[in-house]
């Protein structure tokens, strides 16, 4: 059924509010809970259990206890379970979309897009699970055989962010389960409800107890440290800020844990003078405004050839001014609020700082909407290199435009950042497109395209944007070890 805000709140009231450990829902051992807010008006949607360290340890105990049995299931069995979970999410698209809109704020149409994208990871990994292979070869000097096979890494801690509450979870859980790993999943405290529903679906599908454990908490730092200090945990996969990623990498070093890190970005969006401007503006809208800019692959810096910069800006401003920022459940809305007060304050500061340093405000620039965390879609030009938003991740609906004259200049500026997640290049010259894309220091490049995310493509970054790839042909490898048998003849 289609939801309005009221029926979505009823859905929330019917959701389990506890932790899910060893196949059962339960309260926190301390009885503690924390509120989940609606970013559109800052009201409390519900309270969810706040996992204590004892709870976290119970979750790891369960994950560890069932690891061998889960790892020994056939890959066909795991594939079928994931495929059924995919189907179940699709059946409940409207419920998932409503929860995502309610706790995260994105408009329903975008939330439905996330449901399709998020579910697709489970289908993708179900297909991969069924196709795991090994190898058999004679040793180079003869005498014995080199046999390789894949084995699961083991119990994994999966830490997810709030910007895509479903998709960032399924692309970790799907890969882990497909590979035969059990997991402890910690959602972002802003958005635990979507994952509660996903967990409920795993329960309904009789995913064995201990395979997926769900532990929301307000104290992510203590929980991750405790789990990562325990020899039974073998892997941590994290999506979030580079600052937290660095902490986790340091923690992982002590016990040499496997890690996958999807961290911050500072995406350059480069438009050459021969670009198809209509396509570039369409791409810019996607790359900048999807999720109100709250995406790690968002275009952060627009670098536009000086001959077309004004035309590009005028068109982009027109499109930004046509956006309707408002309630996620109003079909007219095309942009939602930012996630919370802190994010709103950060975006406001970044824009104020750029304007104070001489940037020209072409549209937007202000917060609005009472207690909700709304920021107007904003376009800035003449942004000086010293402005903070030129080198910090904005995570908001703000396009900062600067100009260039030569390809070398554009490349040098695009690469002048510690980050390297996604970049975008628009040009009709195929040689230039490939040359530029190859030299761009990012893990992903949109070539005449504003959206790179796809379960079939390897998502991930270089430099301070992380390590490892999620999805794509190699995504499952993040949760597998290659085991080699030397077999005497
Ligand atoms: P943001 O600032 O955008 O919320 P974070 O990197 O802080 O991004 O958060 C991403 C995820 O990491 C969330 O689930 C959050 O609870 C979790 N997190 C934050 N700090 C830590 C930490 N020290 N250890 C483990 N997880 C953390």
């Amino acid at each position: 059924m289609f939801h309005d805000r009221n029926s979505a709140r009823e859905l929330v009231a019917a959701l389990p509010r506890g932790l899910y450990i060893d196949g059962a829902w339960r309260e926190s051992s301390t009885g503690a809970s924390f509120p989940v807010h609606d970013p559109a008006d800052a009201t409390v949607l519900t309270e969810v259990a706040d996992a204590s360290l004892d709870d976290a340890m119970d979750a790891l105990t369960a994950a560890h206890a069932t690891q061998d049995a889960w790892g020994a299931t056939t890959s066909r069995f795991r594939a079928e379970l994931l495929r059924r979970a995919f189907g179940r999410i699709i059946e409940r698209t409207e419920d998932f979309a409503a929860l995502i809109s309610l706790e995260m704020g994105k408009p329903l149409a975008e939330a439905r897009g996330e449901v399709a994208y998020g579910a697709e990871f489970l289908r993708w990994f179900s297909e991969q699970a069924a196709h795991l292979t090994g190898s058999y070869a004679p040793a180079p000097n003869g005498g014995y055989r080199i046999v390789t096979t894949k084995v699961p890494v083991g119990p994994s801690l999966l830490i997810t962010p709030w910007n895509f509450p479903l998709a960032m979870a399924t692309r970790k859980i799907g890969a882990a389960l497909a590979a035969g790993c059990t997991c402890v999943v910690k959602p972002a405290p802003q958005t635990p409800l979507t994952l509660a529903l996903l967990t409920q679906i795993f329960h309904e599908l009789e995913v064995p107890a201990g395979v997926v454990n769900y532990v929301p908490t307000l104290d992510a730092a203590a929980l991750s440290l405790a789990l990562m200090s325990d020899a039974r945990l073998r892997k941590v996969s994290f999506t979030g800020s580079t600052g937290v990623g660095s902490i986790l990498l340091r923690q992982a070093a002590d016990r040499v844990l496997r890690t996958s890190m999807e961290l911050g970005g500072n995406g350059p969006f480069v438009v050459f003078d021969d670009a198809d401007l209509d396509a570039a503006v369409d791409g810019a809208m996607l790359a900048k405004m999807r999720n109100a800019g709250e995406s790690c692959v968002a275009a952060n810096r627009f670098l536009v050839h000086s001959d077309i910069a004004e035309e590009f800006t005028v068109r982009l401003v027109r499109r930004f001014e046509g956006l309707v920022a408002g309630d996620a459940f109003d079909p007219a809305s095309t942009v939602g609020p930012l996630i919370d007060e802190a994010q709103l304050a950060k975006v406001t500061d970044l824009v104020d700082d750029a304007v104070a340093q001489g940037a020209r405000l072409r549209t937007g620039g202000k917060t609005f909407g009472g207690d909700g965390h709304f920021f107007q879609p904003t376009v800035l030009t003449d942004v000086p290199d010293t402005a903070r938003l030129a080198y910090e991740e904005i995570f908001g609906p703000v396009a900062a435009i600067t100009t260039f004259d030569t390809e070398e200049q554009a490349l040098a500026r695009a690469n002048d950042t510690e980050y390297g997640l996604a970049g975008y290049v628009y040009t009709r010259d195929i040689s230039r497109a490939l040359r530029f894309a190859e030299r761009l220091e990012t893990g992903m490049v949109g070539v005449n395209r504003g959206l790179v995310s796809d379960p079939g493509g390897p998502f991930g970054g270089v430099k301070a944007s992380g390590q490892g790839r999620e999805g794509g042909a190699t995504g499952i490898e993040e949760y597998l070890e290659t085991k080699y048998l030397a077999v005497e003849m």
Side-chain angles (χ1 to χ4, degrees):
M1 87 176 227
F2 293 104
H3 286 287
D4 57 20
R5 185 167 287 274
N6 287 336
S7 65
R9 284 186 178 237
E10 283 165 22
L11 187 66
V12 170
L15 275 181
R17 280 171 222 182
L19 315 168
Y20 184 76
I21 296 173
D22 201 15
W25 293 97
R26 66 182 222 198
E27 291 300 306
S28 161
S29 64
T30 61
S33 62
F34 64 87
V36 182
H37 293 97
D38 182 338
D41 58 12
T43 55
V44 173
L45 292 168
T46 187
E47 295 260 338
V48 298
D50 190 350
S52 67
L53 294 187
D54 285 345
D55 296 320
M57 282 304 157
D58 286 351
L60 179 56
T61 299
H64 179 255
T66 196
Q67 174 59 57
D68 283 352
W70 179 246
T73 56
T74 64
S75 57
R76 176 63 68 201
F77 174 76
R78 299 195 299 276
E80 286 297 315
L81 257 185
L82 288 170
R83 184 66 177 73
R84 284 166 57 213
F86 159 77
R88 195 64 70 88
I89 296 174
I90 295 296
E91 277 166 29
R92 298 197 61 183
T93 292
E94 292 305 319
D95 291 346
F96 273 104
L99 287 180
I100 292 170
S101 287
L102 206 53
E103 64 178 345
M104 192 276 154
K106 72 183 77 177
L108 263 183
E110 269 196 65
R112 289 187 187 107
E114 182 184 340
V115 177
Y117 172 54
E120 197 60 54
F121 279 105
L122 299 189
R123 179 157 69 172
W124 174 259
F125 285 115
S126 81
E127 289 158 353
Q128 286 215 301
H131 295 106
L132 291 174
T133 57
S135 67
Y136 178 99
N141 293 322
Y144 61 99
R145 294 293 177 263
I146 292 172
V147 177
T148 69
T149 185
K150 299 285 182 182
V151 294
V153 167
S156 301
L157 170 60
L158 313 179
I159 302 175
T160 60
W162 46 260
N163 57 348
F164 291 90
L166 179 64
M168 298 302 101
T170 50
R171 76 178 178 188
K172 296 186 192 304
I173 299 171
L177 266 50
C181 296
T182 60
C183 57
V184 176
V185 193
K186 194 216 76 67
Q190 295 93 335
T191 57
L193 306 179
T194 306
L195 196 54
L197 180 57
L198 181 65
T199 304
Q200 198 177 41
I201 284 177
F202 286 136
H203 183 76
E204 287 164 12
L205 293 176
E206 296 178 0
V207 171
V211 171
V212 178
N213 302 277
Y214 158 83
V215 288
T217 178
L218 274 187
D219 197 349
L223 181 138
S224 70
L225 182 61
L227 291 180
M228 292 171 72
S229 307
D230 189 303
R232 295 171 299 176
L233 190 81
R234 290 311 320 146
K235 153 119 200 171
V236 60
S237 173
F238 170 75
T239 298
S241 58
T242 295
V244 173
S246 301
I247 294 172
L248 292 173
L249 282 169
R250 277 193 288 274
Q251 282 175 196
D254 285 342
R255 292 191 35 260
V256 197
L257 287 181
R258 283 277 299 267
T259 57
S260 299
M261 295 283 145
E262 302 291 356
L263 309 178
N266 182 6
F269 190 103
V270 180
V271 188
F272 283 97
D273 49 352
D274 66 345
D276 174 341
L277 263 198
D278 289 333
V281 171
D282 285 346
M285 293 304 292
L286 262 180
K288 181 70 253 182
M289 294 307 297
R290 191 165 69 113
N291 235 28
E294 292 178 314
S295 158
C296 47
V297 288
N300 214 55
R301 298 169 294 146
F302 285 86
L303 307 175
V304 186
H305 191 279
S306 51
D307 286 353
I308 53 156
E310 187 53 27
E311 177 63 21
F312 178 83
T313 303
V314 167
R315 293 196 198 189
L316 195 66
V317 166
R318 203 178 302 139
R319 292 285 291 274
F320 269 42
E321 289 178 345
L323 292 169
V324 182
D327 186 310
F329 289 84
D330 178 346
S333 295
T334 43
V335 201
L338 298 181
I339 187 71
D340 55 22
E341 198 59 49
Q343 193 57 29
L344 188 65
K346 184 185 155 205
V347 172
T348 309
D349 283 353
L350 288 177
V351 170
D352 289 350
D353 165 72
V355 171
Q357 294 200 46
R360 260 180 84 198
L361 189 62
R362 302 290 292 259
T363 188
K366 293 204 165 25
T367 61
F368 68 100
D371 291 333
H373 311 125
F374 288 94
F375 197 86
Q376 293 171 332
T378 298
V379 176
L380 295 162
T381 55
D382 306 278
V383 178
D385 287 348
T386 50
R388 279 173 53 206
L389 52 61
Y391 52 89
E392 284 184 33
E393 192 173 29
I394 303 172
F395 244 61
V398 179
I401 301 176
T402 58
T403 60
F404 67 87
D405 291 310
T406 67
E407 187 177 323
E408 283 306 315
Q409 242 178 24
L411 186 72
R413 300 251 314 278
N415 285 339
D416 185 18
T417 166
E418 61 179 322
Y419 294 108
L421 194 58
Y424 305 86
V425 55
Y426 277 78
T427 172
R428 284 195 174 98
D429 179 339
I430 183 71
S431 302
R432 173 153 66 191
L434 292 176
R435 192 167 63 231
F436 199 86
E438 285 179 11
R439 295 172 72 198
L440 205 54
E441 295 168 355
T442 59
M444 299 170 280
V445 186
V447 179
N448 294 322
R449 194 176 155 79
L451 181 67
V452 293
S453 303
D454 188 311
F459 188 104
V462 299
K463 296 161 81 177
S465 290
Q467 45 175 242
R469 296 292 178 266
E470 294 193 307
T474 57
I476 196 168
E477 300 285 341
E478 300 282 319
Y479 296 86
L480 290 168
E481 301 283 7
T482 299
K483 186 157 194 167
Y484 151 49
L485 313 181
V487 182
E488 192 62 51
M489 294 300 286

